[in-house]
Amino acid sequence: SISQADDDTVTSETALSDWQPHVVYLSGGNTFWLHHCLDDDWTKRLQSCNAVYMGQSAGAIVAGQSIETACWKQWDDPRVVPQMETYDDLEDAQGLGLVGDYSLFPHMDTEWKGLVKEKREELDSKLKTIGEEEVYKMANEKLIVVDNPDGD
């Protein structure tokens, strides 16, 4: 049986411990709200269930060392999080640290090259930019691009 909170919602604790998922997929959306919803023990619970983590867009950003890269494009509104009014309020926000020493910058294309070059020096971690058609996996503490067999 699945444990539920008093209000009939499944908590992350019960979902990860009771369901024992093989894959946890966090999609896009507002990076700051997603980060806010992941409590401090979430990473430990994720690691204890031995699930594969897959993150797309905001889900990729929160997997990194820092979510500061979400501030660079200013696509997400920080005001969705209580007491977070500006991007400066989130500069030191830490990610889940699931990809070693890397912070991630998804949706990379030529439009963002100058911005990334300027901002990457401010990070306290390595940076991996990810294009729209790229997929990376962690292997032996390194981020490795996964080849697209179709060449698309």
Side-chain angles (χ1 to χ4, degrees):
S1 79
I2 297 171
S3 303
Q4 292 185 333
D6 292 338
D7 64 0
D8 277 345
T9 58
V10 176
T11 65
S12 64
E13 181 177 6
T14 58
L16 292 174
S17 64
D18 292 356
W19 295 351
Q20 289 292 304
H22 297 284
V23 174
V24 173
Y25 176 73
L26 295 185
S27 185
N30 187 303
T31 305
F32 310 123
W33 182 251
L34 179 59
H35 179 264
H36 174 73
C37 292
L38 300 173
D39 61 39
D40 293 336
D41 292 327
W42 199 85
T43 304
K44 292 177 190 163
R45 289 193 296 271
L46 177 64
Q47 290 170 338
S48 71
C49 76
N50 294 317
V52 171
Y53 178 92
M54 295 173 59
Q56 172 193 1
S57 193
I61 292 172
V62 299
Q65 283 293 320
S66 169
I67 68 163
E68 185 177 343
T69 58
C71 299
W72 296 357
K73 296 179 201 163
Q74 300 184 355
W75 284 1
D76 296 342
D77 186 349
R79 296 172 297 175
V80 300
V81 177
Q83 286 85 43
M84 296 295 170
E85 295 298 319
T86 69
Y87 293 104
D88 291 339
D89 295 330
L90 293 150
E91 279 185 353
D92 296 325
Q94 296 300 304
L96 298 173
L98 299 176
V99 289
D101 294 334
Y102 290 94
S103 293
L104 304 175
F105 184 87
H107 309 293
M108 181 62 181
D109 65 24
T110 55
E111 173 185 3
W112 305 114
K113 281 186 178 183
L115 176 69
V116 168
K117 184 177 180 181
E118 172 191 336
K119 296 285 189 177
R120 79 181 320 142
E121 299 304 319
E122 299 170 12
L123 278 177
D124 291 332
S125 59
K126 298 176 189 174
L127 178 67
K128 180 60 73 176
T129 60
I130 303 171
E132 292 297 337
E133 303 299 322
E134 292 179 309
V135 175
Y136 284 84
K137 69 176 181 176
M138 267 311 272
N140 299 320
E141 299 184 19
K142 293 182 181 179
L143 273 174
I144 300 170
V145 70
V146 176
D147 291 330
N148 182 347
D150 297 328
D152 298 359

